Amino acid sequence: MANITRTRMSASVKTAYDRRLLMRALPRLLHGRWGRPATFDGYKNWEIRRMEGFTDTGITPLTEGVDPVEHAAPAISTYTLEPQWYGTYVQYTEEVSMQTIDPVILETSRILGEHAGKMIDILIRDEITANATADYAGGASADTDIDTTNDKISYADLVQDVALLQANGALPAENGYYPVIIHPYSWATLMQDTTFVALFTREGGESIRNGLIGRVLNCELYTTYNAKISEGAGADTTVDVYHALFIGEESYGLAGMTGLSPNWNPDGGPPVVWGQGTGKSVNVAEIIVKDLGETGFDPLNRRGTIGWKATHDQIVLQSNWIVSLHHANDFS
């Protein structure tokens, strides 16, 4: 019998595919863009440690030659995250090269990367929406009150929710602005509001490609089709309830692949191994390719698989620093 040699994917080729995954996944993680990355402790858990602010106490003038009363040390809060693994795969039947970058795997990696980004973005979105401070457009006080006549998103809602964040002590999450994530239909509805249109400044070029459509008040508005929609949750089953998220600094935390968002370098090797100086590491995102015949019982070596796997978790650190505006739209 002739000897059969199976080729394995080289390290450089695997790195190229992993980088492709991250390049397609990370830009879709809009809801994770402002999360605080957790630190991997090397023993499964990821941690975020935060010093709480001083309590409001009376202050008196200093007396010459007398030391003031020592203030109590700030409390330290520790949040623990335990990321779970997520992923999926597809089969292929075409012979591919494991030593060179194959266009079949490369294109499939692109699609899988987009899927990974969208799925993890949904996990983050649902967590922070469910644990945010809820506000309601118009005169509504619950989703079942919302109708398309009285409870559409408006300029007044932006004023109210920015004021709410500021009153709760939330700092802007990026460059002096509060990011606001809205659905394209919510943006289209706001563009029917004459007060909003009069104050709205549209951004161009790279900003639009990143989802940023402009600034108003202390807000940067981002649109995404992945914004939260509660279908049929309004005053009747024909009314969908949309959620606009107003985000304050360090209001939520992330672990796993999303913790790479501020740090990844598409021009170099992808930072898929994440250890935060602990001496231990975890591979948080990867493309896994099984060549023909490597997937199990496959007598004629006709089937292979390509899949993505990533580890992820999220946590809301301060619900008063995120507002979810429940509203209806002109468009749906």
Side-chain angles (χ1 to χ4, degrees):
M1 179 179 294
N3 292 328
I4 299 177
T5 302
R6 304 297 300 176
T7 58
R8 299 286 181 177
M9 184 181 295
S10 66
S12 61
V13 170
K14 186 179 188 306
T15 295
Y17 292 140
D18 285 345
R19 184 165 63 244
R20 182 75 167 186
L21 169 71
L22 288 171
M23 289 177 67
R24 304 302 299 195
L26 293 180
R28 293 180 176 269
L29 291 170
L30 180 62
H31 288 87
R33 188 173 298 179
W34 300 280
R36 179 175 173 179
T39 299
F40 180 52
D41 68 5
Y43 301 95
K44 184 182 178 182
N45 294 332
W46 299 60
E47 290 185 350
I48 296 177
R49 300 183 70 197
R50 188 183 71 188
M51 284 190 176
E52 305 296 338
F54 287 124
T55 57
D56 294 332
T57 57
I59 186 169
T60 57
L62 297 176
T63 301
E64 185 176 355
V66 178
D67 291 334
V69 176
E70 181 181 358
H71 201 293
I76 298 177
S77 297
T78 300
Y79 303 87
T80 301
L81 294 85
E82 297 187 12
Q84 303 296 312
W85 286 103
Y86 300 89
T88 192
Y89 72 95
V90 295
Q91 289 194 38
Y92 68 90
T93 57
E94 180 180 347
E95 185 74 51
V96 299
S97 170
M98 305 296 279
Q99 294 297 326
T100 60
I101 298 176
D102 184 274
V104 173
I105 300 179
L106 196 65
E107 185 65 16
T108 305
S109 298
R110 179 186 70 82
I111 297 171
L112 288 169
E114 292 173 356
H115 181 260
K118 180 180 178 181
M119 293 300 101
I120 292 180
D121 191 56
I122 289 173
L123 293 174
I124 302 169
R125 178 201 72 189
D126 289 352
E127 177 76 13
I128 62 180
T129 300
N131 291 283
T133 297
D135 188 27
Y136 299 88
S141 59
D143 283 359
T144 51
D145 297 334
I146 293 176
D147 62 59
T148 55
T149 301
N150 304 301
D151 306 311
K152 293 180 292 188
I153 191 171
S154 69
Y155 172 75
D157 294 313
L158 270 67
V159 174
Q160 177 174 303
D161 289 332
V162 169
L164 180 57
L165 285 178
Q166 292 174 338
N168 288 337
L171 297 176
E174 184 174 345
N175 301 323
Y177 293 94
Y178 296 102
V180 179
I181 302 175
I182 61 176
H183 192 276
Y185 290 157
S186 301
W187 168 72
T189 301
L190 282 171
M191 294 301 289
Q192 313 302 309
D193 185 316
T194 55
T195 304
F196 176 84
V197 172
L199 296 176
F200 183 68
T201 301
R202 187 181 179 91
E203 296 293 320
E206 186 64 28
S207 295
I208 291 177
R209 288 192 290 275
N210 287 335
L212 174 63
I213 59 171
R215 299 181 175 97
V216 64
L217 298 175
N218 288 98
C219 299
E220 288 188 329
L221 303 181
Y222 292 81
T223 60
T224 173
Y225 69 95
N226 221 20
K228 178 71 173 179
I229 305 172
S230 298
E231 296 182 358
D236 60 65
T237 57
T238 66
V239 178
D240 295 335
V241 175
Y242 292 76
H243 302 258
L245 289 171
F246 295 70
I247 299 173
E249 184 179 38
E250 295 193 357
S251 53
Y252 64 103
L254 303 169
M257 186 176 80
T258 46
L260 298 172
S261 300
N263 304 283
W264 75 297
N265 178 12
D267 297 323
V272 293
V273 177
W274 196 240
Q276 294 275 6
T278 62
K280 299 180 182 294
S281 61
V282 59
N283 199 357
V284 297
E286 60 181 324
I287 284 286
I288 300 171
V289 181
K290 299 293 185 181
D291 199 7
L292 303 180
E294 291 185 348
T295 60
F297 182 73
D298 186 7
L300 300 182
N301 293 340
R302 301 181 63 197
R303 294 186 296 273
T305 58
I306 308 171
W308 69 267
K309 185 176 73 171
T311 181
H312 168 75
D313 196 11
Q314 68 279 309
I315 186 172
V316 171
L317 303 174
Q318 178 56 272
S319 61
N320 288 335
W321 294 352
I322 309 178
V323 175
S324 175
L325 173 66
H326 302 225
H327 62 277
N329 287 320
D330 280 324
F331 312 90
S332 60

